[in-house]
Amino acid sequence: MAKAGPNRPTQNWIDAGVRQSPASPRHLFSAPWEPVVVRRGDALGLRSLADQFADAVAPDLNNRIQDGRWVTILAWCLARSHEVFHACRGGSVVTRAQQRERYAWLRPLELMWVARTIALTDDWSLRSLSGQRRVGPWYTQFAMAGDPFGMSDDQFRAYRQTGMYGGYRLAFRKWPGMTTSGDGWTPSKATQQLAVWLDRRLGAARPSWPLHDTKGDDDRLPLRSAHRGRGAEWQWWLRRWRNFDRGGERAERHTLPRRRDDFEVLPEADILRPLLFHEGDRHGRRRLAVARHVAGANTTDHLRLCESLADGFSDDKTIAQLPHFSRLADAGMSAMDLVASSLRSAPKVKLSEAAAMPGAAAVCAELLDAAKAWRGRPAHPIRHAETADRLAEAISSARPVECLEALLRYHEIHGGGLRWFVVRDGMVEQRTPSRGGASSYRFRLRSLCRLAVQCGTIESMPAIGEAGEDPGDNAADDSDE
């Protein structure tokens, strides 16, 4: 292995005051100023409402939690890093500073598993591997030298949100038995079971000291070096887990993340199943019931599936409104994509030209009908319903010019994330580069069904979920909080 890069200095806290007169207020900054990342998704500003529907059909889940094997891998990472953290006299993880210190020992393991997958597979690009664009060249071309995992300081720091644990942390906070009091950091019984299961199957690729050993004897957890590794934890792990990219018998089946199109039952299904689908847990019962309902719905049409869920769970007033929301959101996104297609060859076009696009009349007619259906739905309080109310009220005509102008003005005022385009003096002006549209608003159903298949809860992946959107780009994707 090539030598790791130079030691990275720890991030010092900043206490910078603004010089003013004694009577003037002062601004004290206790941490570096970090720009907020703004994404292109949520064009209609409906994400918060979409999350309410997603919580109803798939509680304590998000669109990024879609491979049970990553739950197992991250459980192992959490258990292994927890021991090193405590060896360094780490204790409570209540404050943000303590949590940053705790995560500093976890982050390198996440990225080493990305590198391990790249090392042992030819199809690693078909698996969920956050950070692969940086880790791939770092491992294959630069012999693991230079910056940590090929990332800049900002990218390495941001991995806490964009990385694998950032996506799966909700499971460790909410699923029963994963972490103590749901703190997301301290491994509890279920996490320990998964960690032991994976550790045994790593064989020659496991670290040199036994899991759950804190004695610090020869060939055991190196306590002194762990103390010295604080502030450069990634270098410490690269030195102490040198065989992380070693294969072994059945490494593919037992240790690596699964391909996105892999819908096989996992070998550790008996451990995962009670975490996700335990009938003694209210949310587990709902996830189980919805997964089985989707499997038996026998439809490849998303709106038909939403209607089926509304019928099957009619006692839930939120799910009963799901078809109305899905129809309105999908119609709105179809109209947004129509406008985007009119801008493929020029940065701006006349609104009348966008309205003359093939299919514009049908798209606008459906959007008006969907808006009327939403306004006429049975009244039932639901959080953030006002966002869909505003969209439905904005659409009052099916004439393409009027309909699209109303939609684009709504998008400019109420849309979430970056603005795709704006209307100025009868011209539609592009504001962000087109990516060929964006994912429609969805409700974690593909993630739920894939996990159900991997746990052996349903026999096969429903057809509607086999070609779902990449969860990372979903407009209704969730955070872990």
Side-chain angles (χ1 to χ4, degrees):
M1 178 188 300
K3 292 183 179 179
N7 288 340
R8 292 166 51 83
T10 56
Q11 178 64 59
N12 295 322
W13 284 50
I14 299 174
D15 184 7
V18 178
R19 289 186 177 273
Q20 293 179 331
S21 65
S24 300
R26 299 176 66 206
H27 300 280
L28 298 178
F29 298 96
S30 59
W33 184 276
E34 296 180 5
V36 176
V37 176
V38 180
R39 301 183 182 277
R40 189 173 181 268
D42 194 18
L44 302 180
L46 300 176
R47 173 174 171 169
S48 296
L49 180 53
D51 285 348
Q52 297 303 307
F53 289 109
D55 287 337
V57 297
D60 294 344
L61 200 61
N62 64 40
N63 287 316
R64 293 182 66 189
I65 303 175
Q66 45 90 41
D67 182 6
R69 174 55 54 75
W70 263 115
V71 176
T72 304
I73 292 171
L74 291 170
W76 183 91
C77 294
L78 202 64
R80 282 285 187 176
S81 61
H82 184 73
E83 293 179 347
V84 183
F85 173 69
H86 273 271
C88 295
R89 292 191 175 92
S92 173
V93 286
V94 176
T95 68
R96 290 187 179 274
Q98 292 168 337
Q99 291 172 6
R100 281 197 296 269
E101 184 179 353
R102 171 68 182 88
Y103 181 68
W105 287 107
L106 172 62
R107 173 171 41 205
L109 292 181
E110 297 175 71
L111 288 159
M112 290 172 80
W113 273 95
V114 173
R116 172 178 168 81
T117 306
I118 291 172
L120 298 180
T121 63
D122 295 325
D123 57 0
W124 51 269
S125 63
L126 303 178
R127 304 165 194 253
S128 295
L129 302 172
S130 295
Q132 59 179 267
R133 292 182 181 178
R134 296 288 176 174
V135 176
W138 170 83
Y139 179 82
T140 60
Q141 300 176 28
F142 303 116
M144 298 180 286
D147 293 331
F149 303 95
M151 296 182 172
S152 67
D153 289 345
D154 287 343
Q155 291 168 334
F156 193 63
R157 184 168 52 250
Y159 198 75
R160 180 170 178 177
Q161 284 74 43
T162 63
M164 299 310 302
Y165 191 68
Y168 282 72
R169 184 170 176 257
L170 180 67
F172 289 87
R173 292 181 57 245
K174 296 294 187 178
W175 296 0
M178 295 298 282
T179 55
T180 302
S181 301
D183 67 3
W185 301 110
T186 311
S188 194
K189 181 179 179 181
T191 293
Q192 299 287 11
Q193 284 181 312
L194 288 168
V196 169
W197 184 93
L198 181 57
D199 200 69
R200 290 173 178 170
R201 284 153 183 81
L202 279 174
R206 72 167 65 96
S208 59
W209 65 93
L211 183 62
H212 305 318
D213 177 73
T214 57
K215 296 179 181 179
D217 297 333
D218 293 342
D219 299 324
R220 293 177 183 268
L221 179 59
L223 297 180
R224 289 185 179 180
S225 69
H227 281 286
R228 292 193 298 268
R230 295 177 65 179
E233 294 84 358
W234 67 279
Q235 293 177 328
W236 187 91
W237 275 114
L238 287 174
R239 288 194 301 267
R240 293 296 174 177
W241 189 24
R242 292 178 178 272
N243 52 340
F244 75 92
D245 55 355
R246 188 170 298 181
E249 185 178 0
R250 310 197 79 182
E252 160 75 14
R253 173 171 170 74
H254 286 128
T255 72
L256 299 182
R258 315 312 296 153
R259 287 170 51 119
R260 294 189 186 93
D261 59 356
D262 185 330
F263 305 119
E264 297 295 325
V265 178
L266 293 173
E268 66 268 36
D270 289 343
I271 305 177
L272 289 170
R273 190 181 307 113
L275 307 178
L276 266 161
F277 303 108
H278 198 294
E279 297 199 16
D281 173 61
R282 176 171 59 93
H283 289 169
R285 288 196 303 272
R286 173 54 59 88
R287 291 191 292 265
L288 176 63
V290 170
R292 288 176 172 171
H293 185 96
V294 174
N298 194 30
T299 180
T300 58
D301 182 88
H302 184 258
L303 180 57
R304 300 287 88 77
L305 176 59
C306 291
E307 292 172 344
S308 177
L309 286 168
D311 291 339
F313 297 88
S314 57
D315 58 328
D316 189 306
K317 301 302 182 182
T318 298
I319 299 180
Q321 300 181 69
L322 181 61
H324 300 293
F325 173 81
S326 182
R327 184 183 181 189
L328 176 64
D330 284 357
M333 290 305 298
S334 294
M336 291 292 291
D337 285 339
L338 175 81
V339 176
S341 65
S342 71
L343 289 164
R344 286 177 181 168
S345 58
K348 63 170 63 176
V349 297
K350 291 181 179 180
L351 178 61
S352 57
E353 293 179 12
M357 291 285 292
V363 166
C364 291
E366 170 59 16
L367 180 54
L368 178 62
D369 288 346
K372 290 179 178 179
W374 174 261
R375 294 195 295 265
R377 75 192 189 285
H380 174 71
I382 179 173
R383 290 178 60 197
H384 307 295
E386 69 278 0
T387 58
D389 292 342
R390 283 197 296 262
L391 174 58
E393 291 295 335
I395 307 302
S396 58
S397 172
R399 293 186 62 238
V401 170
E402 297 175 3
C403 178
L404 294 181
E405 182 175 16
L407 177 67
L408 298 186
R409 296 200 183 283
Y410 167 88
H411 165 67
E412 183 176 0
I413 298 172
H414 301 293
L418 297 173
R419 299 299 179 261
W420 294 18
F421 21 67
V422 296
V423 178
R424 296 289 185 270
D425 298 324
M427 301 290 292
V428 181
E429 301 178 4
Q430 184 170 297
R431 288 297 170 90
T432 57
S434 174
R435 299 181 307 176
S439 301
S440 298
Y441 292 86
R442 294 295 181 258
F443 314 105
R444 311 171 190 165
L445 295 177
R446 183 180 189 275
S447 297
L448 174 63
C449 289
R450 189 187 184 203
L451 291 167
V453 172
Q454 291 183 325
C455 291
T457 301
I458 59 178
E459 292 184 0
S460 60
M461 188 70 176
I464 196 168
E466 289 186 359
E469 296 94 345
D470 183 351
D473 291 333
N474 200 308
D477 194 21
D478 322 82
S479 67
D480 72 324
E481 297 294 345

